């Protein structure tokens, strides 16, 4: 007789209810897993989760910080929903974000004296361009030569990181920085306004929400959006229907890169007012944005919500790092575990798993 | 209890559910020793599921199985083989680079310890005994589909099976190979083997079986002695209603040449020549059927015409205009409609019926306006097609994959026809469809012909080609072996051409009646 074994049977259709249940179960399992890790780090998991939640959502200050961090997550995450819909697995939003920061800083270096109403739009445009440039290489390699965009976009993250580091340690290091590897502070005219008493640079937030709506409309109401969805769901059918694969591939990559670039612009012009080393500009927003997009089931409108959720998680994670003296990687572990379980949930929603004896 | 009534397999009240379907809804089946028992039914009737249960691949949700008078539980194919049950699946599962002997002993314990000499002897004995010629040393890739099937059958016999299940064994064979197979099956039955033969082809049932069980929608419609029934009754049982057999084909005077292919050379995916110096013409209001065993360049031919595969040499013209170098979009605009044999390459299963219907015309008004898609126009257009072509769907928002195979194909044809193409390429239009759906698809194609469209029909189903076409061309290894008027078709000649054994010289080609 055969030993008991597990068998996967593909479901003909996966009911939406099941998908939601699978998602909730995935989040619960992720929490249990992380709880176990907390336990082995010598921290009471219940206390830790309570602190995370309180940190991110439990106080006015926490909520303000959560919204602040949701801004780059939303911008990059919305871009990724578009890229993933078109079956372009852009994993390099982090690098595109950093290049957005670099290009925005470049504007300051060229036209520091422009008035606010010119300078800020110029920085956003330039940041968008920076993200696009960084997405262009993986995009063209994929569209023309079928080079796997996962690898190329990811590798470029490290190149971008080194480039930022080179700039702030070298040619762009400020004159009044007392030796710190940072640029001089940006002129006041370049500072994106914030809500009084908070770090919420609300114009960027509004821009992000606007773009989420625009991407949604693009996907659902326009010809090119239809082409993106057909290409993503069945590239063969897209070819059969005479759609231009290269155009779709380039477009979704460039837009998603550009949006990540906007996120980087928002960080330097709304939070730091300088270019700093990569770790200081972004605690991995570009990677967390992958989870934002995936949790949103690649719906750009839903990404508005999921970016808020993940933003809270980042804030809560910071809170417990300090309060419970946990290693800095704790939040990244949490993120990784969530992504793993969310993707697993997709598998469970699409396949029936049976134990056979 | 001895099975004094000669029943070797008895399945009682078998129920098997899959998500959303009951594949078997209380099936009773009795198979007697030494008979060829046909299991007849439309696609999706539950035949394969039932036999997969008997072979231990699926487990029934309810029901009992008795083999040789004993109640059994079959947990795996190994269990089934131990009970003397062997199954030959629709798709062959042979290792292409191994020899016949190696494939047959593959997975057997003894093969590990013994060299294959005794195995070869036994295989030759078996092939002699049942009249299945085979070279034990040949490598699988060298063999034709018919020969590979013999290897599959020998493999099962070698394992000591005396109850053989064959799932649609003739679907890959030429008429001549089919004939050989059916003769072999008769011979096996005479020597005491029990054969369960799954098919949806009526004439095969009549030709080979002793008894027949007809399945419809997961249930048994009837079990009959073959000698006491006829194709008409069987078809009725299969579909549950009367079926039109004769197609009403209006005589049409063919018009101008619409498709003109000359000297065409195309490569397959492996970069080997698949279409060689091929020439053909299709006129307006004419159906040119291309018959042939699958894999002889049909797919490459149609993909080249549709612009999905590069042309290495030659010329393709539509309405007198050279389209050889045009991109797929430009070919669509020049009036080419295409229903590929692999339906899924022309559809997006996860998207709605409406979104599948606009796949070709979304670029143009009224669906596409500037950069926008006009949602109201989509609704109007989709609903109109759903009505006009009687596509059975809850509504236009339903994901296409939820529709039945027949309705999916109808939607695909509806889309291509609504573009009012001057040339319609249809490959395998009814493969996998049941008798009822096949009939409506055929009617749709004939209506399109009457509209004056030139139709290039590719099908592995010879009967389909012969009943629909005005002219028939036989393709073999990428070349046309001969072309003739459909009513002058000679089955024997076609068989020879399909096997590459006969080629009509140009002088013999029956001239165009124009
Ligand atoms: N593994 C499976 N999962 C879900 N549905 C299945 C599976 N296998 C078969 N079915 C469904 O069961 C029904 C019967 O299929 P099948 O036994 O293959 O019919 P047949 O062999 O008579 O064409 C069909 O509706 C088919 O879609
Ligand atoms: Mg079947």
């Amino acid at each position: 007789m055969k030993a008991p074994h597990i068998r996967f049977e593909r479901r003909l259709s996966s009911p939406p209810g099941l998908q939601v249940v699978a998602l909730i179960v995935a989040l619960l399992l992720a929490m249990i897993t992380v709880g176990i890790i907390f336990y082995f780090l010598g921290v009471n998991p219940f206390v830790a989760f309570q602190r995370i939640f309180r940190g991110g959502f439990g106080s006015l200050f926490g909520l303000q910080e959560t919204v602040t961090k949701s801004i780059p997550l939303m911008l990059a995450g919305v871009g990724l929903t578009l890229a993933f819909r078109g079956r372009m697995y852009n994993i390099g939003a982090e690098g595109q974000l950093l290049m957005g920061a670099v290009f925005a800083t470049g504007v300051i270096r060229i036209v520091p004296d422009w008035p606010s109403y010119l300078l800020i739009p110029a920085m956003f445009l330039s940041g968008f361009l920076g993200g696009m440039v960084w997405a262009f290489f993986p995009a063209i390699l994929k569209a023309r030569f079928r080079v796997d965009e996962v690898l190329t976009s990811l590798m470029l993250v490290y190149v971008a990181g080194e480039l930022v580091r080179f700039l702030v340690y070298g040619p762009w290091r400020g004159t009044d920085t007392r030796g710190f590897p940072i640029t001089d502070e940006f002129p006041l005219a370049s500072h994106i306004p914030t809500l009084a008493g908070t770090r919420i640079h609300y114009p960027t937030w509004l821009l992000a929400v606007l773009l989420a709506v625009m991407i949604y409309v693009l996907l659902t109401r326009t010809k090119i959006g239809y082409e993106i969805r057909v290409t993503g769901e069945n590239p063969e059918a897209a070819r059969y229907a005479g759609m231009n694969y290269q155009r779709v591939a380039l477009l979704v990559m460039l837009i998603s890169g550009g949006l990540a670039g906007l996120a980087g612009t928002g960080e330097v012009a709304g939070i730091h007012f300088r270019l700093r080393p990569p770790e200081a500009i972004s605690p991995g927003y570009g990677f967390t944005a992958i989870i934002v997009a995936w949790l949103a089931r690649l719906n750009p409108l839903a990404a508005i919500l999921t970016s808020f959720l993940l933003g809270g998680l980042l804030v809560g994670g910071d809170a417990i790092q300090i309060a419970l003296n946990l290693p800095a990687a704790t939040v990244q572990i949490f993120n990784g575990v969530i992504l793993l379980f969310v993707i697993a949930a997709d598998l469970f929603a699409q396949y029936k798993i049976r134990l056979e004896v | 209890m001895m099975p004094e009534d000669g029943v070797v397999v008895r399945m009682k009240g078998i129920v098997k559910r899959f998500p959303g379907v009951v594949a078997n809804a209380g099936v009773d089946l009795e198979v007697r020793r030494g008979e060829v028992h046909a299991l007849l039914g439309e696609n999706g009737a539950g035949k394969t599921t039932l036999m997969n249960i008997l072979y231990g691949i699926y487990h029934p949700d309810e029901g009992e199985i008795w083999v040789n008078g004993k109640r059994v539980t079959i947990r795996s194919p190994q269990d089934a083989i131990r009970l003397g049950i062997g199954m030959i699946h629709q798709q062959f599962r042979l290792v292409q680079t191994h020899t016949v002997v190696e494939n047959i002993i593959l997975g057997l314990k003894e093969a590990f310890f013994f060299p294959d000499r005794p195995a070869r002897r036994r295989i030759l004995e078996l092939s002699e005994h049942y009249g299945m010629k085979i070279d034990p040393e040949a490598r699988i890739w060298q063999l034709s589909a018919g020969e590979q099937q013999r290897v599959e059958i020998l493999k099962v016999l070698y394992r000591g099976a005396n109850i053989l299940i064959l799932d649609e064994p003739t679907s890959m064979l030429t008429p001549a190979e089919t004939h050989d197979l059916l003769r072999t099956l008769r011979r096996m039955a005479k020597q005491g083997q029990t054969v369960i033969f799954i098919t949806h082809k009526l004439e095969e049932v009549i030709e080979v079986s002793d008894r027949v069980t007809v399945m419809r929608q997961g249930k048994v419609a009837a079990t009959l002695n073959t000698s006491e029934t006829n194709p008409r009754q069987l078809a009725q049982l299969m579909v549950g209603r009367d079926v039109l057999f004769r197609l009403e084909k209006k005589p049409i005077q063919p018009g101008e040449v619409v498709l003109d292919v000359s000297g065409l050379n195309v490569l397959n995916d492996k970069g080997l020549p698949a279409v060689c110096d091929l020439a053909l013409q299709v006129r307006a209001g004419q159906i040119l059927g291309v018959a042939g065993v699958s894999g002889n360049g049909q797919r490459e031919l149609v993909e080249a015409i549709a612009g999905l595969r590069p042309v290495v040499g030659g010329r393709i013209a539509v309405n007198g205009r050279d389209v050889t170098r045009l991109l797929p979009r430009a070919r669509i605009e020049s009036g080419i409609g295409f229903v590929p044999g692999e339906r899924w390459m022309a559809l997006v299963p996860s998207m709605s019926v409406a979104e599948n219907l606009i796949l070709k015309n979304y670029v143009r008004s009224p669906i596409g306006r500037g950069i926008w898609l006009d949602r109201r126009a989509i609704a109007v257009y989709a609903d109109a097609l759903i009505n006009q072509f009687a596509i059975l769907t809850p509504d236009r928002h339903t994901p296409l994959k939820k529709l039945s195979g027949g309705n999916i194909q109808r939607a695909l044809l509806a889309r291509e026809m609504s573009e009012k193409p001057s040339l319609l390429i249809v490959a395998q239009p009814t493969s996998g469809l049941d008798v009822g759906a096949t009939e409506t698809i055929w009617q749709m194609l004939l209506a399109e012909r009457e509209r004056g469209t030139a139709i290039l029909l590719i099908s592995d189903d010879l009967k389909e080609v012969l009943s629909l076409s005005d002219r028939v061309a036989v393709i073999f290894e990428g070349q046309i072996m001969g072309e003739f008027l459909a009513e002058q078709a000679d089955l024997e000649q076609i068989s020879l051409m399909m096997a590459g054994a006969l080629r009509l010289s140009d002088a013999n080609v029956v001239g165009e009646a124009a």
Side-chain angles (χ1 to χ4, degrees), chain A residues 1-2 7 9-14 217-218 220-224 226-227 229-230 233-234 236-243 352 354 356-357, chain B residues 19 57-58 75 79 308 328-329 332 338 340 344-348 350-351 355 358-360 362-363 368 370-373 375 401-402 415-416:
Chain A
M1 283 301 105
K2 262 197 192 163
R7 192 144 109 181
E9 275 180 26
R10 197 176 176 96
R11 290 176 195 274
L12 290 183
S13 64
S14 71
V217 171
L218 177 87
T220 54
R221 302 286 165 92
T222 66
K223 290 202 282 202
I224 184 71
Y226 175 70
E227 290 180 1
R229 286 183 292 129
V230 171
E233 295 282 342
N234 185 359
E236 261 197 278
R239 201 168 95 82
Y240 159 89
M243 294 174 184
K352 191 156 88 178
R354 27 203 317 168
E356 304 200 331
V357 281
Chain B
I57 292 176
Y58 292 141
R75 289 178 210 277
D79 283 9
L308 301 174
R329 183 78 240 168
I332 296 167
F338 180 29
W344 296 118
M345 82 178 247
L347 297 164
V348 191
S350 55
M351 286 169 64
E355 287 188 306
I358 62 167
L359 192 66
K360 287 278 176 75
Y362 75 96
V363 285
I371 65 162
W372 302 101
L373 285 179
R375 312 228 294 173
K401 65 180 174 197
K402 297 238 162 117
R415 179 182 79 205
E416 296 306 306

Side-chain angles (χ1 to χ4, degrees), chain A residues 152 177 226 259 280:
Chain A
T152 46
T177 59
Y226 175 70
L259 260 57

Side-chain angles (χ1 to χ4, degrees), chain B residues 244-261:
Chain B
L244 252 171
F245 260 114
R246 288 246 57 87
L247 288 168
E248 296 290 331
K249 217 166 103 187
K250 286 203 193 112
I252 292 183
Q253 193 62 250
E256 293 292 300
V257 172
V258 174
L259 174 68
D260 190 356
V261 174

Side-chain angles (χ1 to χ4, degrees), chain B residues 261 263 276-280 471 473-474 479-484 497 502-512:
Chain B
V261 174
C276 312
D277 287 329
L278 182 142
L280 54 79
R471 298 179 63 80
V474 180
Q479 301 186 325
I480 300 290
M481 303 303 279
E483 203 185 309
F484 38 83
M497 286 190 233
L502 173 69
R503 178 166 196 164
L504 296 185
S505 73
D506 289 339
N508 286 353
V509 174
V510 184
E512 185 91 31

Side-chain angles (χ1 to χ4, degrees), chain B residues 33-236:
Chain B
R33 181 180 310 285
E35 73 172 348
V36 175
H37 194 111
L39 195 53
L40 177 71
E42 298 188 291
N43 250 294
K47 308 177 297 286
T48 300
T49 304
L50 186 68
M51 287 303 112
N52 277 340
I53 288 172
L54 183 57
Y55 191 53
I57 292 176
Y58 292 141
H59 304 214
D61 297 327
E62 290 166 36
E64 299 174 359
I65 303 174
W66 303 67
V67 176
N68 291 320
K70 272 205 290 281
R71 170 88 192 268
V72 293
T73 309
I74 306 173
R75 289 178 210 277
S76 67
Q78 285 89 324
D79 283 9
I81 289 162
R82 230 166 279 135
L83 291 166
I85 301 171
M87 182 157 172
I88 292 110
H89 295 273
Q90 242 162 317
Q91 265 90 35
F92 302 147
R93 301 170 179 192
L94 299 170
V95 184
Q96 292 291 317
T97 51
H98 282 196
T99 64
V100 171
V101 184
E102 284 165 349
N103 265 283
I104 289 176
I105 61 178
L106 191 73
L108 292 177
K109 276 202 202 73
E110 57 196 89
F112 193 79
F113 298 106
F114 297 109
D116 50 0
R117 197 154 322 139
R120 187 177 314 129
R121 191 163 349 107
R122 177 91 186 107
I123 290 164
L124 284 172
E125 265 170 39
L126 284 170
S127 72
E128 182 86 3
H129 195 65
Y130 295 110
M132 290 184 288
K133 262 184 274 147
I134 199 84
D135 169 12
E137 293 311 320
R139 305 213 170 250
I140 299 301
W141 59 265
Q142 299 170 318
L143 304 181
S144 71
E147 290 170 319
Q148 294 193 23
Q149 186 169 58
R150 274 176 234 159
V151 179
E152 288 277 16
I153 295 173
L154 285 169
K155 190 170 168 179
V156 165
L157 291 172
Y158 189 87
R159 281 160 175 67
N162 47 40
I163 303 167
L164 272 81
I165 307 167
L166 295 102
D167 194 351
E168 311 229 358
T170 59
S171 53
M172 324 255 293
L173 306 184
T174 62
E177 285 174 330
T178 301
H179 181 73
D180 284 350
L181 172 71
L182 297 186
R183 211 175 42 198
T184 305
L185 295 185
R186 287 268 24 123
R187 188 151 163 184
M188 287 179 169
K190 210 150 97 209
Q191 314 211 2
Q193 298 279 355
T194 306
V195 177
I196 305 177
F197 176 78
I198 305 184
T199 185
H200 62 253
K201 296 183 187 151
L202 302 173
E203 61 272 32
E204 290 174 359
V205 173
I206 301 289
E207 189 177 338
V208 76
S209 70
D210 298 298
R211 294 197 307 148
V212 49
T213 293
V214 187
M215 287 187 71
R216 180 171 78 233
Q217 291 174 0
K219 297 202 187 82
V220 170
T223 298
L224 305 161
N225 290 321
T226 310
S227 55
E228 294 162 13
T229 183
N230 57 53
R232 184 160 201 92
Q233 184 191 15
L234 290 175
Q236 266 169 23

